[in-house]
Amino acid sequence: MDLQLSGKVALVTGASSGLGYATAVELLQEGAKVVACGRSKARLESAYAEVAKKYSDRLLLVEADLDIASAASELLEKTIAHFKALDIVVFNSGGPALMRFEEATDAVWEEAFSSLLMSCIRVIRCALPYLRKSTAPSILTVTSITAKQPLPGFLLSNVFRPAVIGLTKTLSKELGQYNIRVNSILPGYTATPRFTEALHYQAQKNHSSFEAEAEKVSRQIPLKRLSAPNEFAKSATFLVSPAASNITGLMMQADGGFYEGLI
Ligand SMILES: NC(=O)c1ccc[n+]([C@@H]2O[C@H](COP(=O)([O-])OP(=O)(O)OC[C@H]3O[C@@H](n4cnc5c(N)ncnc54)[C@H](OP(=O)(O)O)[C@@H]3O)[C@@H](O)[C@H]2O)c1
């Protein structure tokens, strides 16, 4: 299937590692021009060292900390200055710390509000004038399975991911008149560097092994394994592509069947 991504300009935030990185690479492989953002230029350059050899003419690395209010508009300015257009936004960023309600101070709540919700709002708001000029515009928010199925210990994610899918659904209604499609992918347990690091930490804490901890998680998943970042990336790339031209307002799990609900 031709995803019709050749020449399209895609901005992927949180793209130096894990799900964002895998999606940026998949988009490049499908012919898109990609702006990959992260907080550290050095981490971006290291992550894309090999990829850049092949795609340097279609890849722009931009250092931007989206927790800072002015970062989104600067990121969009750099994107437009370089590629002159924007068709696709994949909003992704780091996940919040795990904790229980009694541990969360006001500062923790405010920080999570800013990094999980406001950063997404700002990027989309700044991207909108350019997306409205595109012939095949789309937005994808990367959230979490916690948006549909709250998980123990994932307090901040359980609270703010539903807000992001609420935003996503609302935008799909408001922006449909401009032909802008807005969807979300809700990843389940995926073997990104960050998640495998968390499993190593659990193994140390429980005096077990990485394999034993991965097996514990996998047992809860119908496909009996962690998802792979490139599996996520393929779903994301399809959803933002013109090949998915009739799909908007979709909150799609990519979780090996982990989610227990019906719809
Ligand atoms: N992996 C899973 O199993 C899973 C499951 C459900 C949901 N999720 C969610 O999916 C997202 C990606 O997960 P992941 O496992 O791929 O995480 P990851 O490997 O930690 O990647 C997060 C990316 O976001 C960037 N980032 C973090 N804070 C940022 C900021 N303030 N401004 C700009 N970029 C920022 C990081 O780069 P720098 O550090 O260089 O800035 C990195 O490139 C997270 O929100 C996570 O909670 C993951």
Side-chain angles (χ1 to χ4, degrees):
M1 177 171 42
D2 177 10
L3 297 181
Q4 301 158 56
L5 279 166
S6 182
K8 298 281 182 294
V9 180
L11 167 62
V12 185
T13 66
S16 66
S17 156
L19 305 180
Y21 172 76
T23 304
V25 172
E26 190 70 31
L27 284 162
L28 283 166
Q29 285 167 352
E30 288 296 329
K33 300 173 185 170
V34 171
V35 180
C37 134
R39 286 170 299 181
S40 149
K41 193 71 182 277
R43 272 199 295 275
L44 284 165
E45 282 173 352
S46 152
Y48 288 89
E50 276 308 303
V51 174
K53 285 182 192 160
K54 195 165 173 191
Y55 299 115
S56 62
D57 56 328
R58 290 196 276 115
L59 175 64
L60 176 69
L61 305 177
V62 178
E63 184 175 89
D65 181 348
L66 299 174
D67 290 348
I68 298 169
S70 58
S73 61
E74 288 165 16
L75 173 62
L76 265 298
E77 275 166 28
K78 286 177 184 163
T79 300
I80 298 303
H82 192 81
F83 285 127
K84 316 290 178 219
L86 181 67
D87 303 289
I88 293 161
V89 173
V90 178
F91 179 82
N92 175 59
S93 73
L98 302 189
M99 68 180 70
R100 293 169 47 77
F101 179 74
E102 283 159 323
E103 297 170 288
T105 61
D106 279 10
V108 165
W109 282 110
E110 279 156 18
E111 197 184 311
F113 168 73
S114 171
S115 72
L116 292 174
L117 184 59
M118 278 315 298
S119 55
C120 178
I121 289 171
R122 288 192 205 105
V123 168
I124 294 173
R125 187 198 282 140
C126 294
L128 217 44
Y130 307 107
L131 292 176
R132 283 181 63 170
K133 292 181 191 158
S134 165
T135 52
S138 76
I139 298 170
L140 181 74
T141 58
V142 179
T143 53
S144 167
I145 197 62
T146 56
K148 289 191 178 180
Q149 184 168 312
L151 294 175
F154 285 73
L155 172 75
L156 300 168
S157 197
N158 293 343
V159 171
F160 288 109
R161 302 300 192 181
V164 179
I165 67 165
L167 172 72
T168 305
K169 190 73 181 177
T170 305
L171 289 177
S172 73
K173 302 281 183 195
E174 285 195 18
L175 303 181
Q177 62 181 313
Y178 309 121
N179 195 34
I180 301 177
R181 299 181 302 103
V182 195
N183 297 295
S184 188
I185 300 193
L186 289 55
Y189 295 113
T190 311
T192 60
R194 180 172 179 262
F195 187 64
T196 47
E197 205 178 289
L199 288 181
H200 280 293
Y201 174 77
Q202 278 297 111
Q204 211 174 13
K205 211 173 101 189
N206 298 338
H207 305 291
S208 67
S209 65
F210 171 82
E211 288 73 21
E213 294 301 322
E215 165 64 21
K216 248 189 248 172
V217 175
S218 301
R219 244 182 271 136
Q220 308 165 48
I221 302 170
L223 292 184
K224 301 297 172 210
R225 61 175 178 81
L226 301 179
S227 306
N230 76 324
E231 291 180 300
F232 171 92
K234 285 182 191 302
S235 306
T237 299
F238 169 69
L239 272 187
V240 297
S241 77
S245 56
N246 196 34
I247 303 179
T248 192
L250 177 68
M251 310 300 137
M252 187 180 93
Q253 301 94 250
D255 65 349
F258 173 79
Y259 172 57
E260 296 285 352
L262 272 179
I263 50 174

